[in-house]
Amino acid sequence: GSQDTGGFAGMISNSQINQKGIFITYAEVTGYYNVGGLVGLLTENTELKLRNFKFTEAGTFKVKGTSHVGGIVGELSTESSIQGTNASMPDSEFKYIDGPSGNADFYGTVEGTEYVGGIAGIAIKADIEYCYVKATVFGNNYVGGIAGYMEGNNSNENTLRFSLFDGEIKLLNEQSAERTGGIVGSIDGKIEVIRNSNFGAISGGKFTGGIVGHTDYGDISPIISMNVNLGTIKGQLAVGG
């Protein structure tokens, strides 16, 4: 399909996804806008728990689109959330600094032009937590190991926490690329980015970071705290670890 394309569902709204024992061994998902390995558009207070899904090893899952492209979800919005398999571990025991271990929530490749991420291409007023991505992510603008872009709800703080990226981010066009991050490409609004780790190799253009590529400061500033970058970072302008 061209819009709202997913390997499991095109769009899911106002739901809890509790189906268990779903094994994904090989798939190619291709679309244009809102393209996700599982769901194209996840919206309206929908909760997705990734412990119910099992991916096989790297390289066997491919997601490709143009805009809003994610390994799990193309677009995550309106108080929806994605919870990875590490959610069963207490916060005090989450060894985000020690490196990835166990099965990833997404293995494979993700490719798009803008708003591209290992978990979600774009997340608006939504939460992502306890996710582990082992993938190669290709893109140009707003590209991240976990999310390409996140925008917070100014009344209720949204979070990206306890997540890890261990893979590569590669550019499609170095001359025009901007806003690339090991965890998230760009954030805006009331967002808390906390206790995430990048172990991957990040290649970006303008505004490239090991954790966040670019931050927009409006009336309410985001919070970036206790994150770790142990990966390699390469960029052209405004580059940080």
Side-chain angles (χ1 to χ4, degrees):
S2 60
Q3 182 169 331
D4 298 342
T5 304
F8 181 70
M11 181 184 78
I12 298 178
S13 174
N14 196 25
S15 302
Q16 269 199 344
I17 304 172
N18 294 317
Q19 180 70 39
K20 295 184 179 180
I22 298 176
F23 289 85
I24 300 172
T25 57
Y26 176 83
E28 290 190 23
V29 181
T30 303
Y32 178 76
Y33 183 85
N34 284 353
V35 185
L38 293 182
V39 184
L41 173 62
L42 196 75
T43 188
E44 299 292 345
N45 298 288
T46 298
E47 184 180 82
L48 173 59
K49 294 182 178 180
L50 295 179
R51 65 174 176 265
N52 299 330
F53 296 84
K54 300 296 182 185
F55 288 86
T56 57
E57 289 294 330
T60 59
F61 203 90
K62 299 178 182 179
V63 183
K64 185 175 182 179
T66 300
S67 183
H68 297 203
V69 185
I72 300 297
V73 171
E75 179 177 320
L76 179 70
S77 63
T78 322
E79 306 308 324
S80 295
S81 64
I82 295 178
Q83 188 180 82
T85 53
N86 287 313
S88 60
M89 185 179 294
D91 291 359
S92 61
E93 297 181 10
F94 187 82
K95 307 297 185 182
Y96 69 102
I97 196 170
D98 292 343
S101 63
N103 293 325
D105 293 302
F106 178 79
Y107 287 105
T109 62
V110 185
E111 181 178 332
T113 302
E114 60 179 8
Y115 302 103
V116 186
I119 293 292
I122 186 169
I124 307 293
K125 300 178 182 178
D127 301 302
I128 300 173
E129 59 180 9
Y130 298 101
C131 290
Y132 168 24
V133 172
K134 190 172 181 62
T136 302
V137 181
F138 298 89
N140 267 0
N141 303 319
Y142 298 92
V143 183
I146 303 296
Y149 173 76
M150 289 190 75
E151 181 180 311
N153 185 335
N154 288 338
S155 58
N156 297 308
E157 188 171 76
N158 295 113
T159 59
L160 195 173
R161 64 177 188 146
F162 293 111
S163 294
L164 302 94
F165 178 69
D166 182 27
E168 292 183 85
I169 294 181
K170 298 183 177 182
L171 299 180
L172 296 176
N173 186 340
E174 291 187 7
Q175 303 304 315
S176 61
E178 63 175 70
R179 306 191 187 207
T180 304
I183 298 298
V184 57
S186 185
I187 56 176
D188 186 12
K190 199 172 184 181
I191 293 279
E192 185 178 67
V193 180
I194 181 171
R195 294 194 179 186
N196 302 286
S197 299
N198 170 52
F199 295 87
I202 312 303
S203 296
K206 187 164 79 171
F207 307 125
T208 303
I211 302 298
V212 179
H214 185 272
T215 300
D216 287 313
Y217 289 94
D219 296 333
I220 299 177
S221 299
I223 297 171
I224 304 171
S225 177
M226 294 184 287
N227 300 283
V228 175
N229 171 48
L230 294 174
T232 60
I233 313 300
K234 178 184 176 183
Q236 298 176 8
L237 178 67
V239 182

